[in-house]
Amino acid sequence: MALDPQRGFFITLEGGEGSGKSTQARRLNVLLRRMGRDVVLTREPGGTTHGEAIREMLLSGLIRPFGSEAEALFFAVARREHVLHLIRPALEEGQVVVCDRFADSTRAYQGVAGVPQETILRLEEIALTGTQPDLTLILDIDPAVGLARAAGRSAADRFEADELALHEARRHAFLAIAKAEPERCVVIDASLTADEIAAQIEAAVGARLPRATGTS
């Protein structure tokens, strides 16, 4: 589907724990602003007052006892709020939205945990209301390496604390998404240094952003 040149551009960063998504989202925000773009930097779950409250509930493990389907529901509630009140309005104003995690994380995390694909896709349809990323950067890293990185920054959240096999399954799920949707997704080697990862991202964004916004 052709992109509307009057609309903004929606970039999401996905990947496993410790892959550097948050760091690279911040760096991309700075890069785009230096390029003269009007940028909104956000994250999931979160981005709005209600979304941040749901984030705390999810990452603390409060929802975990109710099962993966319940977690998927909470992610969908937060995502719909995020899309309707922050992401879509920004795109309608022609801004570039950079989001640390989005719907692919639910596909990978809750999908691997056993939530049926039809349930995930239905929740996605309700939450996204037609708003899809223009470019998804999947930061790929060996889960053992990523978890070692994550361990040095803070106490493990509800998802970081899962067993290694589950993290490996999530990695495969993200790579499967990238393979299935190559026009949207670009896989980034996140085993490199932060500067090298940023260079890959700059190249990927630079190759797509001008065409999407109708600039030369």
Side-chain angles (χ1 to χ4, degrees):
M1 182 175 64
L3 295 170
D4 181 353
Q6 300 303 314
R7 176 180 173 275
F9 196 74
F10 186 17
I11 303 171
T12 57
L13 289 87
E14 298 281 9
E17 310 301 331
S19 58
K21 297 177 304 301
S22 299
T23 296
Q24 294 301 329
R26 291 191 295 268
R27 292 185 66 148
L28 180 56
N29 173 51
V30 172
L31 171 67
L32 291 168
R33 289 181 181 277
R34 287 176 178 168
M35 294 169 58
R37 303 285 182 173
D38 190 2
V39 186
V40 172
L41 176 62
T42 188
R43 67 178 183 178
E44 286 214 344
T48 67
T49 300
H50 293 142
E52 291 293 331
I54 294 174
R55 178 187 183 88
E56 176 61 27
M57 295 169 68
L58 285 162
L59 299 191
S60 69
L62 182 64
I63 309 303
R64 185 176 188 177
F66 299 99
S68 296
E69 288 195 349
E71 288 184 324
L73 285 168
F74 273 78
F75 275 112
V77 170
R79 184 163 297 129
R80 182 175 172 84
E81 167 87 0
H82 197 194
V83 167
L84 293 180
H85 297 286
L86 191 150
I87 294 173
R88 180 179 288 177
L91 293 174
E92 290 174 349
E93 292 179 5
Q95 297 174 303
V96 178
V97 176
V98 176
C99 190
D100 178 356
R101 292 200 184 281
F102 195 60
D104 292 316
S105 281
T106 297
R107 293 186 185 184
Y109 280 67
Q110 280 67 55
V112 164
V115 178
Q117 183 181 31
E118 57 267 28
T119 299
I120 290 176
L121 294 179
R122 178 56 180 149
L123 289 174
E124 188 174 299
E125 180 183 5
I126 294 169
L128 270 57
T129 62
T131 302
Q132 298 283 349
D134 299 303
L135 172 62
T136 296
L137 304 163
I138 296 180
L139 278 63
D140 179 52
I141 192 169
D142 183 313
V145 175
L147 289 170
R149 287 182 180 177
R153 67 190 182 198
S154 63
D157 66 30
R158 173 262 177 274
F159 297 103
E160 289 174 4
D162 285 332
E163 61 185 22
L164 181 59
L166 197 50
H167 290 283
E168 290 172 342
R170 291 165 183 161
R171 180 191 190 186
H172 291 310
F174 279 122
L175 292 176
I177 291 168
K179 183 176 182 180
E181 300 185 54
E183 292 187 359
R184 173 173 69 89
C185 301
V186 175
V187 177
I188 302 294
D189 184 354
S191 68
L192 304 175
T193 68
D195 286 344
E196 290 170 329
I197 296 169
Q200 292 180 77
I201 290 175
E202 181 176 356
V205 173
R208 299 183 182 222
L209 184 57
R211 291 199 299 272
T213 55
T215 60
S216 57

